[in-house]
Amino acid sequence: MFRTTLRAWITVAASAGCAVAFCASPAQASVIWDADASQGTGVFVTTLCDSPGSVTTGNWNDGHGTFFKFNKPIGTARCEGHSVHTSAGEYAFKDDSTYWFGWDSMTKTGNAQTVFQWKSNGTNDQNAQNYPVLMKVEDDQLKAWYVAPGETWISIGSTPWTAGEWHSVQLGITTDSAGQGTLSVYKDGSEFASRTGARTWDDLGNKPRWGTYFGTDTSTASINWVARLKMGTSRADVS
């Protein structure tokens, strides 16, 4: 008798458009930014690439389509693309939100140093972390860090990286200024780094950067090719 009654209740709820809390549909995922390199460098808000370095595009007809080439020659410290530019202008990142970034990357050597920054807005004492999330290609490894307030570097994982080959990367960030954010990083389909209880939103907020950055070291040349760059609200959006 109970099963018959329950089955009838479910049927009525479904025919009524599931207008009860039990039948609420999940939130829809979406692609926020499809930064195909065929659109040019205008998909970034700006490029940070000291002369004679350059951000250019190319296509080797290898199945990856058009790519960005971040070229940092000797004598310069960085070559990066900064933040997200959509048809509506610069994207406004927010606290208490989930963002997924996905891209393919190939570096010329196993030492391209910083290839991604979740860079804090402001300078010096205007922020507490500078870059809460940072990824490097170093010593033939892809390394990920959570950088806590006070610029305390905490390694959250590493995985082998082969120079001269394409690798897929997906990074998920749930932003939280109170220290309850989360991080998840995949390379070639496998998660290799994660973190919970992280402060992922700095005092003035954050924006992403891609490319190759060596800090104060200007003695090393580096190239990072990036293709299929996207941003969404789920990993499925950017895989």
Side-chain angles (χ1 to χ4, degrees), residues 170-219:
Q170 293 96 40
L171 165 65
I173 301 174
T174 298
T175 58
D176 191 280
S177 59
Q180 296 304 311
T182 62
L183 303 170
S184 182
V185 193
Y186 289 75
K187 191 211 80 174
D188 296 336
S190 298
E191 184 181 51
F192 75 93
S194 63
R195 176 81 181 192
T196 59
R199 187 177 188 264
T200 50
W201 189 253
D202 210 346
D203 299 343
L204 298 179
N206 296 83
K207 295 169 185 173
R209 293 184 182 183
W210 291 266
T212 176
Y213 172 53
F214 277 66
T216 58
D217 179 9
T218 62
S219 66

Side-chain angles (χ1 to χ4, degrees), residues 31-192:
V31 175
I32 299 170
W33 182 55
D34 187 347
D36 190 284
S38 62
Q39 302 172 72
T41 58
V43 299
F44 303 109
V45 171
T46 188
T47 56
L48 307 168
C49 199
D50 297 332
S51 179
S54 60
V55 185
T56 57
T57 61
N59 192 324
W60 293 323
N61 298 313
D62 62 352
H64 281 83
T66 306
F67 54 78
F68 295 106
K69 178 184 177 182
F70 295 93
N71 180 26
K72 188 202 85 66
I74 291 174
T76 66
R78 76 170 77 233
C79 190
E80 297 176 297
H82 176 55
S83 198
V84 167
H85 189 274
T86 69
S87 59
E90 182 172 4
Y91 184 80
F93 291 95
K94 298 177 181 179
D95 194 4
D96 193 26
S97 301
T98 297
Y99 303 105
W100 276 89
F101 303 98
W103 65 95
D104 286 357
S105 173
M106 180 169 66
T107 59
K108 187 171 184 178
T109 69
N111 180 31
Q113 286 298 308
T114 302
V115 293
F116 175 87
Q117 297 184 66
W118 183 233
K119 178 68 174 176
S120 301
N121 297 324
T123 58
N124 300 324
D125 59 355
Q126 291 179 314
N127 56 62
Q129 293 165 277
N130 198 5
Y131 27 65
V133 186
L134 189 140
M135 297 167 62
K136 287 187 176 187
V137 170
E138 184 179 60
D139 302 325
D140 298 313
Q141 298 274 315
L142 177 61
K143 304 176 181 180
W145 281 272
Y146 162 56
V147 183
E151 289 198 47
T152 301
W153 287 48
I154 301 169
S155 174
I156 61 172
S158 63
T159 187
W161 182 271
T162 304
E165 293 184 7
W166 285 106
H167 298 281
S168 68
V169 181
Q170 293 96 40
L171 165 65
I173 301 174
T174 298
T175 58
D176 191 280
S177 59
Q180 296 304 311
T182 62
L183 303 170
S184 182
V185 193
Y186 289 75
K187 191 211 80 174
D188 296 336
S190 298
E191 184 181 51
F192 75 93

Side-chain angles (χ1 to χ4, degrees), residues 8-22:
W9 182 87
I10 292 172
T11 302
V12 170
S15 63
C18 276
V20 291
F22 284 63

